[in-house]
Amino acid sequence: MVENQNKLNLGQASIPAVTQYLQLADELGIEITPILSKLRITEAQLSDTNQHISGEDFQELILELINLSGDQLFGLHTAKFVQPGSYSVLGFITMNCETLGEAITKIQPFEKLVGDMGTTQIEKQDSDLYISWHCIFPDPNVKRHMVDNCLASWFTFAQFLVEPKYKQQSLPKKVLLMRSKPSLDEQSFYHDIFKCQVLYNQVKDAIIFDETLLALPLNKGNKLLLSTLENHAVELIDKLSEEEDFALNVKQLIEVNLINGKFHQQDIADTLNISTKTLQRKLKALNFTFKFLLDEVRLNCAHQLLNQENLPLVDISINLGFCEPRSFYRWFQKLTGVTPGDYRTRNKCN
């Protein structure tokens, strides 16, 4: 199979988001050091709340923890570890809002600070407010646990934010889950967490609130601090965008230079007017290596070229910047598990 093929598309996860899963693993007595070593996640990364790991590494980490725990509700149970810092700067922004409604409006603009493993959607239907989350991770098992974590953490954190006398009023009306209906014992866990009716086999994953809850006052609002935190969050979002643009720029430069042979690390660094060390450092900050980006660009181009049935494999290898066809064949088979010819045949049959 293709190793790390979808890494760019799976976004990134902030260390605070990762921590919830590791805390539950620690409580269950799971030895996490070998898993972290396998994924090359260091203690230095985990101790820096400003750091991120790749979405693919996060997906693999969660899958390992689910399997080792044997807990079919692992994601749901991680919600008990949610705290303001779990949402990075966004958590502290919501803490300093005056109402629950104001806090909810801060999710979409700043959720990228927590990670871009999924997107939040807020919809109003009659007197109900639907807050749903779409996870982009492809593994269905991991996705289910992440959805459980997300929705349960939202609810738990909302209960923390509202004034104590309004906690009973702040309960949701319903929770919708796309997952199939679990066992009765597991259904009781969902009910204990959300304290409302939970419906399964739904078309979306969402929490439904009565819109009157938007006016509920929060217990820690500070307008001056809120403004400062939002300004800081905007700066962080801008920085993330610049970093993503850098990786995209590198990929585009690799692609346009494949055929002329000027796609190597030194060539790209020279084009960007930076040193190779600076190029490596910038990519490392995004959890990428130059080799990974080169492989990803080449593989995407290879798939496109192989779909052109009349284009000889020799010409494809030249277009991809390989010195000889055999190098192309070995590289393609190593990443995909099939030869270029087999891929073309299978694709034609499909």
Side-chain angles (χ1 to χ4, degrees), residues 148-304:
D148 283 355
N149 163 268
C150 182
L151 299 192
S153 294
W154 277 353
F155 170 68
T156 303
F157 192 54
Q159 288 280 288
F160 167 77
L161 291 176
V162 298
E163 291 188 14
K165 62 181 177 181
Y166 295 118
K167 287 190 183 298
Q168 192 62 34
Q169 289 178 241
S170 66
L171 299 179
K173 293 175 70 173
K174 293 178 183 178
V175 169
L176 310 180
L177 294 175
M178 296 176 67
R179 67 156 299 169
S180 58
K181 183 180 287 188
S183 67
L184 289 175
D185 285 344
E186 290 176 352
Q187 289 180 52
S188 68
F189 276 110
Y190 280 102
H191 186 271
D192 289 344
I193 292 288
F194 294 110
K195 299 176 173 57
C196 69
Q197 183 182 18
V198 180
L199 302 177
Y200 306 94
N201 297 303
Q202 301 298 300
V203 297
K204 65 175 66 177
D205 297 300
I207 297 181
I208 305 175
F209 289 100
D210 189 293
E211 68 172 339
T212 58
L213 268 62
L214 298 179
L216 285 182
L218 304 187
N219 57 19
K220 303 179 186 298
N222 183 321
K223 278 293 183 184
L224 182 60
L225 184 55
L226 175 62
S227 178
T228 301
L229 288 168
E230 285 190 289
N231 289 336
H232 178 52
V234 169
E235 292 175 359
L236 292 176
I237 291 287
D238 289 343
K239 182 180 178 183
L240 282 175
S241 297
E242 288 175 5
E243 291 173 341
E244 290 170 354
D245 288 344
F246 179 78
L248 180 60
N249 192 17
V250 169
K251 290 176 63 178
Q252 289 172 337
L253 288 173
I254 291 172
E255 184 172 357
V256 298
N257 286 289
L258 280 176
I259 196 166
N260 65 26
K262 296 185 180 298
F263 58 85
H264 299 289
Q265 189 167 239
Q266 184 64 62
D267 300 315
I268 302 302
D270 290 344
T271 302
L272 293 171
N273 198 29
I274 59 177
S275 67
T276 55
K277 287 188 176 180
T278 299
L279 175 61
Q280 292 168 352
R281 176 176 54 79
K282 284 177 170 287
L283 292 178
K284 185 178 180 181
L286 295 170
N287 295 303
F288 293 130
T289 64
F290 184 82
K291 182 181 182 302
F292 166 76
L293 293 185
L294 174 59
D295 282 343
E296 183 177 53
V297 170
R298 270 179 159 168
L299 194 58
N300 287 336
C301 291
H303 287 155
Q304 294 173 22

Side-chain angles (χ1 to χ4, degrees), residues 66-83:
I66 293 169
N67 291 336
L68 288 173
S69 70
D71 183 359
Q72 292 302 307
L73 300 179
F74 188 87
L76 189 70
H77 293 149
T78 60
K80 66 182 176 181
F81 295 103
V82 70
Q83 52 185 309

Side-chain angles (χ1 to χ4, degrees), residues 100-112:
L100 185 59
E102 184 183 12
I104 289 173
T105 65
K106 307 300 181 184
I107 297 176
Q108 289 175 310
F110 299 121
E111 68 178 332
K112 194 172 184 179

